[in-house]
């Protein structure tokens, strides 16, 4: 395991604005257009899989996934497995949902699955702590913030763009770290 440099990570966090971040207008953010084109490789947020499984992903997402290389994080696998575990086994739809999650995970090409390294995990924990403090996140949102931060920093380190429908949290991350990349879409509800 690589050595983790605590002092370098704390110095890295000098971008702390020490104030709550406001959600920017959609026109200021990178959203998928109806006409998609080639570009950077993607790292998929867990919502992309869930929206796809539930038929809520817009056609532009499917078009984008046809054109760009898609990569997967062990963070998304972890969140999908958590979903499979939390579903009520007595509910009539659970068996099918778990089966679909399994098909999704088993369909990920092993050479396109990436695990975050120690540096990403350490910095993401620091970033998530700052985000929770700045935005006043309560217990329920803290683990989600940590996972989002890991995914965001992992994508940045690998040179990927995060594809997500989670506009509010990833907008905050882009404000804190403008060199990161995210591409947004709205799910069809």
């Amino acid at each position: 395991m690589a050595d983790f440099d605590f002092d370098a990570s704390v110095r890295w966090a000098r971008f702390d604005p020490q104030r709550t971040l406001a959600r920017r207008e959609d026109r200021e953010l990178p959203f998928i257009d109806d006409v998609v084109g080639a570009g950077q490789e993607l790292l998929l947020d867990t919502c992309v899989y869930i929206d796809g499984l539930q038929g809520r992903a817009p056609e532009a997402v499917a078009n984008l996934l046809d054109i760009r290389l898609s990569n997967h994080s062990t963070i998304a696998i972890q969140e999908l497995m958590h979903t499979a575990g939390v579903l009520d086994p007595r509910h009539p739809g659970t068996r099918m949902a778990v089966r679909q999650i399994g098909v999704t995970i088993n369909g990920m090409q092993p050479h396109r699955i990436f695990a975050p390294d120690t540096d990403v995990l350490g910095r993401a924990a620091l970033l998530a702590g700052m985000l929770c403090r700045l935005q006043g996140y309560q217990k329920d949102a803290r683990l989600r913030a940590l996972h989002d931060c890991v995914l965001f920093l992992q994508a940045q380190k690998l040179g990927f763009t995060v594809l997500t429908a989670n506009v509010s949290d990833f907008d905050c991350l882009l404000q804190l770290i403008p060199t990161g990349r995210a591409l947004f879409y709205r799910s069809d509800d």
Side-chain angles (χ1 to χ4, degrees), residues 137-156:
Y137 288 167
Q138 298 303 309
K139 289 183 181 183
D140 295 359
R142 290 179 181 172
L143 182 58
R144 187 187 77 235
L146 178 59
H147 286 165
D148 290 344
C149 290
V150 171
L151 195 67
F152 184 75
L153 293 179
Q154 183 181 25
Q156 183 183 34

Side-chain angles (χ1 to χ4, degrees), residues 43-111:
L43 189 63
L44 306 183
D45 191 1
T46 308
C47 61
V48 177
Y49 306 102
I50 293 171
D51 287 343
L53 289 170
Q54 295 180 344
R56 294 187 322 220
E59 188 175 335
V61 168
N63 294 339
L64 186 67
L65 295 176
D66 284 343
I67 294 171
R68 294 200 194 177
L69 289 174
S70 298
N71 299 285
H72 317 280
S73 175
T74 55
I75 294 299
I77 293 171
Q78 184 181 34
E79 289 182 326
L80 288 168
M81 291 302 296
H82 179 268
T83 299
V86 80
L87 292 172
D88 182 354
R90 295 171 295 205
H91 188 278
T94 294
R95 178 172 279 162
M96 178 57 79
V98 170
R99 186 176 303 124
Q100 288 177 319
I101 290 169
V103 167
T104 299
I105 292 172
N106 289 332
M108 296 175 182
Q109 299 173 345
H111 68 283

Side-chain angles (χ1 to χ4, degrees), residues 17 20-21 36 48 62 66 76 88 93 100 102 112 117-118 134 140 171:
T20 301
L21 301 170
V36 297
V48 177
D66 284 343
D88 182 354
Q100 288 177 319
R112 294 269 171 223
D117 63 20
T118 306
L134 294 171
D140 295 359
D171 176 29

Side-chain angles (χ1 to χ4, degrees), residues 31-39 42 58-68 163 183-185:
F31 274 86
I32 294 176
D33 296 328
D34 289 334
V35 179
V36 297
L42 302 170
E59 188 175 335
V61 168
N63 294 339
L64 186 67
L65 295 176
D66 284 343
I67 294 171
R68 294 200 194 177
L163 178 61
L183 186 56
F184 301 111
Y185 70 93

